[in-house]
Amino acid sequence: MSTEQQRIDDAVAAAAAATTDAMNDSERYGVLYDHGLAWVNFPEGCGGLGVSTSLREYAAQQVAEAGLRTPPRGSNTIGFGMAAPTIVTYGTAEQKLILRDIYTLDTIFCQLFSEPGAGSDLAAVATRAVRNGDGFRVTGQKVWTSGAQNADMAILVARTDPSVPKHQGLSYFLLDMHAPGVEVRGLRQITGEAEFNEVFLTDVEVPEANLLGELGQGWKVANTTLNNERVAIGGGTPREGGMIGVVAGAWRANPEYRDPLLHDELVRLWVEVEVARMMGERLSQKLAAGQPGPEGSGAKLSFARNNHELTGLELQMTGVDGLRYDTYAMRRPSEYSMIGRIPGYRYLRAKGNSIEGGTSEIIRNIISERVLGLPGEHRVDKDVAFKDLPK
Amino acid sequence: MTDIDLLPREHEEDLRASVRRLFEAESSAEFVAGLYDDPTADTSKLDRAWAQELGLAALLVPEELGGAGASASEAAVVSEEIGRAVAPVRFLSSAVLATTLAVHLKAQSLLAGLTAGERFAAIAFPATAARIDSGIEIAVEGGSATVSGTVPGVIDGVGADDYLVVAGEGVDTVVVRVSAEHVQAEPFLGFDQSRQLADLSFTHAPAEVLGHGLDAAAAVRAAEILGRTVLAAEQAGLAQRAFDLTLEYVKGRRQFGRTIGSFQAVKHRLADLWLEVSQAGAAAIFAARTAAASEAGEELPDEAELCSLVAGSYASTAAVHAAEEAVQLHGGNGMTWEYPLHLYLKRAKADEQILGHSRRQRQQLAPLIDLPTA
Ligand SMILES: Cc1cc2nc3c(=O)[nH]c(=O)nc-3n(C[C@H](O)[C@H](O)[C@H](O)COP(=O)(O)OP(=O)(O)OC[C@H]3O[C@@H](n4cnc5c(N)ncnc54)[C@H](O)[C@@H]3O)c2cc1C
């Protein structure tokens, strides 16, 4: 056993000793955080032990074996997958205090990046953050904001300087979703419910202390978030961990689904998912320490395609049952699961996998330019001040 | 499932470098292309070089039997380089398939020649079959046997010193050895001349029984797992090379005043292909390390078989796809004899059929992952 594993084991033993039956969930998660077991690869004092990223799974196993309860998978996904890695990289000591609340689920995050005029072209965000005494005043419109209705805080990209080209004038903020001037409206989606929102920001006061990274460095900071987002969406599952588990499970449980003409397609997709998992495993061993690089984007591409195909196959496989839908009622789910509900829902929801967090076309641009070194796309707007761009 | 270490290892990278040097010197694209114009060209110098001089014939033979005691992981490294160079070598047939059979059957006298790289063996099965079963009958009487029948399309079927013939299943499995003088081998001009196939016929050929029953069945299974695993590595190496050549080409070739690699249609195809080729590489190394762990008793043979079928079915189509994309993105040059791409395409398309095409391999995989047909 390595010394790093030993440190994890010691931390688990200490956390187990510090946990009592009387504690509520938040207190329990707090104990894990305080013992460096929230994200073991984070530095000490930030919910981690400063050990290699590859030991995350080992730590999770040890924590589970000790019977310590962890936040359920899928809770505070933006807080865990995007806000936390960005804050730990760029945050001030004071900003890092929020990491604990993220882990205990006392502070739920959402992501205020996309706008009507800035989707794939994220650097085109028009939401303004204007200096105002000791802080900033933020005005603009965001869209597709998942979970905004339940969020306490947001990671926000806004424009602080329109007189320079678009990538240079951005800054990255932590925004209080309960502040005056924040208005959240549900946006009904393809499945009937409203998982995402429009968010209107009108003269929202953001204190200086909530600027993450330096003024004008928002693009760089946002890329840390996006690389982590793509890995959070794509990687790190056990064999049959995701949608394949649902579809293969249905095949096993229901002999009537076993259309021989679909069998090879199912096994082929099983192999696709397994091979993507193997590549993710290899990559994570290589990247054992440090931030995910652009290679990690490949995982998101496989994930999106495999989910499209798997959910499409499941709908076919299930025959008439595949054509029964549970509800298209407009609802505001407090949490959602990609693999929950019924085949029809899964098919529709999976379509978002190739759009959210960077479309598959954008991922292909990233791979071809940053991994393969091919020339960048022709750009007319790169060297023009943002304020002078045609809108 | 145990955790499989997928990181590169120093001694394997040294091995890779020496194999690559050998092929650059002795198995250039011109040399391989020459085999199509002169199918009788002699490749025995090349075979001696890897088998004896680099000692790779002994790779999969345990140290206590006089070998190098290496594992599927090292064999996969060699095989990736074979794929990269489309090298016309008897590595898969002799050093992997036949040697694994011989090791598991403890066929000492056969192994002595194989390990030294002085003799080469071939297993008599049709190249496209999913199993290495010969499909012909072996009449056993005591310790000796006779073999009769024909086996079409045997890998490296001409020029071997020993032929291994497998018949039957489970308790009825028999493995025998027939020496070359009792075998009639008819080579034919292959679609892929970088791996020579031959039709074999046996007429009451006297044979030595190497094993029978469940032990023989286990040896056959081990050879099949290793064979598929090593072939997947070859396919991954081939795919990577075809991809690399293409990436380099699109960065240099200009049309419409810009490099063709700046067109998004081309970039996106290459991004997808990069992913597929990288996944094939990951699956191949995963299978190789798992097979090594299984041979060392640290992993179940079922898991090694599963991984070999995952890697085999995936890498075989990835290699074909990479070679096809290479031809397309090279334009007219892709169709020429002068550019080496045709060598990759032919080898990849032939490899895709060897040890069963991907649908067949998936059919073999299905019961291992509990996805029954009916
Ligand atoms: C379910 C879901 C949840 C989401 N949650 C959030 C969230 O919480 N927070 C948030 O900020 N955003 C969120 N998004 C927004 C998401 O990031 C954007 O939708 C996405 O980046 C695409 O932007 P767009 O919708 O403006 O499409 P566009 O950018 O207009 O793209 C339209 C089409 O054009 C293609 N295209 C665009 N540019 C190029 C190019 N250069 N080369 C080739 N093709 C191109 C795209 O690939 C796409 O097919 C969510 C989206 C979905 C679907």
Side-chain angles (χ1 to χ4, degrees):
Chain A
M1 183 186 303
S2 69
T3 52
E4 290 198 329
Q5 284 175 330
Q6 186 61 54
R7 290 184 51 217
I8 290 171
D9 290 1
D10 293 347
V12 171
T19 304
T20 65
D21 287 347
M23 286 180 168
N24 65 24
D25 282 347
S26 166
E27 289 162 341
R28 285 165 184 268
Y29 306 154
V31 169
L32 289 175
Y33 181 92
D34 295 338
H35 287 84
L37 294 167
W39 303 283
V40 286
N41 55 309
F42 281 16
E44 285 180 70
C46 295
L49 295 167
V51 300
S52 146
T53 310
S54 61
L55 287 171
R56 276 198 304 215
E57 212 163 301
Y58 174 79
Q61 274 166 14
Q62 301 310 306
V63 168
E65 273 171 31
L68 295 168
R69 207 179 309 148
T70 50
R73 221 184 136 87
S75 39
N76 209 1
T77 45
I78 290 179
F80 279 51
M82 293 167 234
T86 314
I87 292 169
V88 82
T89 308
Y90 290 100
T92 60
E94 189 198 336
Q95 286 166 345
K96 285 177 182 159
L97 296 176
I98 205 169
L99 291 168
R100 192 177 193 278
D101 295 336
I102 292 177
Y103 191 74
T104 59
L105 308 183
D106 290 306
T107 299
I108 303 296
F109 263 84
C110 68
Q111 179 190 19
L112 292 174
F113 281 21
S114 305
E115 297 180 5
S120 298
D121 187 10
L122 174 61
V125 297
T127 293
R128 290 293 318 273
V130 180
R131 270 266 173 224
N132 177 35
D134 280 350
F136 297 85
R137 180 177 287 161
V138 177
T139 300
Q141 188 200 332
K142 295 289 176 177
V143 72
W144 320 125
T145 318
S146 307
Q149 73 276 19
N150 304 312
D152 304 299
M153 293 289 291
I155 43 177
L156 166 78
V157 177
R159 188 159 305 277
T160 38
D161 186 356
S163 70
V164 293
K166 62 178 185 178
H167 291 92
Q168 294 164 31
L170 299 172
S171 298
Y172 196 114
F173 297 94
L174 304 176
L175 179 129
D176 179 357
M177 289 295 286
H178 304 301
V182 178
E183 188 199 341
V184 175
R185 285 187 212 155
L187 195 53
R188 197 173 179 194
Q189 68 202 43
I190 197 166
T191 51
E193 68 205 346
E195 177 192 313
F196 51 35
N197 303 271
E198 294 175 292
V199 177
F200 297 86
L201 304 169
T202 314
D203 293 331
V204 183
E205 301 287 349
V206 178
E208 173 87 35
N210 282 17
L211 174 66
L212 190 68
E214 281 167 41
L215 193 69
Q217 293 292 301
W219 181 248
K220 191 170 112 193
V221 181
N223 269 300
T224 304
T225 309
L226 295 176
N227 279 340
N228 276 290
E229 175 175 25
R230 285 163 198 152
V231 171
I233 291 177
T237 39
R239 183 175 284 171
E240 283 202 20
M243 193 68 76
I244 183 65
V246 175
V247 182
W251 180 276
R252 287 179 193 123
N254 302 281
E256 69 275 20
Y257 290 169
R258 297 181 200 155
D259 180 339
L261 295 179
L262 300 180
H263 183 249
D264 182 62
E265 183 64 0
L266 174 62
V267 181
R268 188 186 68 76
L269 287 168
W270 195 96
V271 169
E272 284 281 348
V273 175
E274 178 65 5
V275 160
R277 190 184 74 82
M278 290 170 170
M279 170 148 163
E281 181 65 34
R282 187 183 199 190
L283 202 61
S284 75
Q285 289 187 17
K286 279 189 186 162
L287 297 169
Q291 289 288 336
E295 290 92 346
S297 303
K300 208 223 155 205
L301 207 51
S302 317
F303 171 80
R305 192 186 47 218
N306 291 336
N307 272 5
H308 280 195
E309 294 183 12
L310 276 166
T311 55
L313 175 67
E314 189 193 24
L315 195 74
Q316 283 182 330
M317 198 172 102
T318 48
V320 164
D321 285 344
L323 299 179
R324 296 182 209 279
Y325 203 77
D326 54 356
T327 169
Y328 278 119
M330 165 64 179
R331 302 182 311 162
R332 304 282 281 161
S334 65
E335 51 191 50
Y336 80 99
S337 160
M338 272 296 306
I339 57 180
R341 293 179 59 179
I342 51 158
Y345 168 83
R346 290 192 276 273
Y347 173 76
L348 294 171
R349 181 58 186 84
K351 290 289 162 276
N353 294 158
S354 54
I355 301 170
E356 58 202 325
T359 69
S360 291
E361 288 73 31
I362 294 301
I363 305 282
R364 290 187 183 96
N365 281 349
I366 290 172
I367 292 171
S368 55
E369 292 166 26
R370 295 208 250 145
V371 182
L372 305 181
L374 290 170
E377 291 300 296
H378 185 55
R379 285 199 173 139
V380 286
D381 58 354
K382 227 170 80 183
D383 301 315
V384 183
F386 180 75
K387 65 180 170 45
D388 299 329
L389 288 176
K391 301 275 153 44
Chain B
M1 274 194 290
T2 51
D3 285 340
I4 297 293
D5 164 23
L6 302 170
L7 296 173
R9 295 168 178 161
E10 204 179 314
H11 77 277
E12 290 187 357
E13 293 316 303
D14 292 345
L15 173 65
R16 182 191 303 286
S18 60
V19 176
R20 186 171 298 185
R21 263 197 308 277
L22 170 71
F23 291 151
E24 277 166 3
E26 305 287 339
S27 183
S28 63
E30 299 77 65
F31 175 77
V32 180
L35 299 173
Y36 288 85
D37 289 329
D38 178 11
T40 62
D42 187 15
T43 53
S44 61
K45 179 166 171 254
L46 179 61
D47 276 322
R48 270 196 308 280
W50 66 260
Q52 294 176 19
E53 287 154 34
L54 294 187
L56 301 180
L59 210 57
L60 288 175
V61 181
E63 281 171 15
E64 60 272 23
L65 295 174
S71 73
S73 183
E74 286 84 357
V77 167
V78 173
S79 193
E80 269 178 33
E81 291 302 311
I82 291 172
R84 190 176 180 279
V86 288
V89 290
R90 298 173 179 275
F91 184 75
L92 176 67
S93 60
S94 187
V96 178
L97 287 169
T99 298
T100 304
L101 257 189
V103 166
H104 280 258
L105 295 171
K106 301 190 178 62
Q108 305 257 11
S109 76
L110 171 63
L111 261 184
L114 292 180
T115 308
E118 280 160 6
R119 293 174 72 86
F120 293 93
I123 301 183
F125 70 99
T128 56
R131 302 206 44 233
I132 61 172
D133 190 295
S134 64
I136 59 176
E137 265 188 45
I138 301 176
V140 184
E141 277 168 49
S144 67
T146 54
V147 179
S148 296
T150 58
V151 189
V154 172
I155 299 173
D156 299 325
V158 76
D161 303 291
D162 292 290
Y163 292 84
L164 304 186
V165 187
V166 177
E169 267 184 83
V171 289
D172 298 325
T173 308
V174 188
V175 181
V176 300
R177 167 196 190 179
V178 180
S179 62
E181 69 262 29
H182 301 297
V183 182
Q184 238 194 322
E186 293 288 346
F188 53 84
L189 177 66
F191 168 81
D192 166 38
Q193 261 309 105
S194 72
R195 198 193 304 278
Q196 179 72 62
L197 304 182
D199 298 327
L200 301 187
S201 36
F202 301 84
T203 319
H204 299 296
E208 172 198 355
V209 177
L210 298 181
H212 55 80
L214 290 176
D215 288 347
V220 167
R221 183 178 183 216
E224 287 169 350
I225 292 173
L226 241 62
R228 264 195 308 268
T229 300
V230 170
L231 180 62
E234 175 183 316
Q235 290 161 330
L238 186 159
Q240 185 68 52
R241 181 67 178 154
F243 175 80
D244 291 344
L245 287 170
T246 307
L247 182 60
E248 197 182 303
Y249 187 81
V250 304
K251 285 179 179 175
R253 167 75 178 162
R254 297 177 73 85
Q255 286 289 278
F256 300 95
R258 48 199 269 214
T259 57
I260 56 171
S262 69
F263 296 116
Q264 198 178 61
V266 173
K267 286 166 69 176
H268 283 194
R269 279 173 87 150
L270 285 175
D272 284 335
L273 192 59
W274 168 81
L275 183 62
E276 190 177 350
V277 167
S278 306
Q279 289 185 158
I285 183 171
F286 205 103
R289 298 275 170 98
T290 304
S294 156
E295 292 269 306
E298 292 154 11
E299 182 58 272
L300 296 174
D302 274 0
E303 175 67 12
E305 183 163 36
L306 183 156
C307 290
S308 78
L309 289 162
V310 166
S313 66
Y314 191 83
S316 68
T317 50
V320 172
H321 190 214
E324 289 178 348
E325 289 289 87
V327 169
Q328 175 66 19
L329 294 174
H330 277 73
N333 280 332
M335 288 298 288
T336 63
W337 195 263
E338 185 189 335
Y339 271 72
L341 303 171
H342 67 106
L343 305 175
Y344 289 91
L345 182 63
K346 289 163 185 166
R347 176 75 164 242
K349 194 64 194 168
D351 271 4
E352 191 189 25
Q353 323 305 318
I354 288 180
L355 290 170
H357 53 62
S358 52
R359 278 194 176 75
R360 176 102 50 234
Q361 295 201 4
R362 289 195 289 267
Q363 217 175 55
Q364 287 175 282
L365 174 63
L368 298 177
I369 58 176
D370 188 24
L371 290 176
T373 359

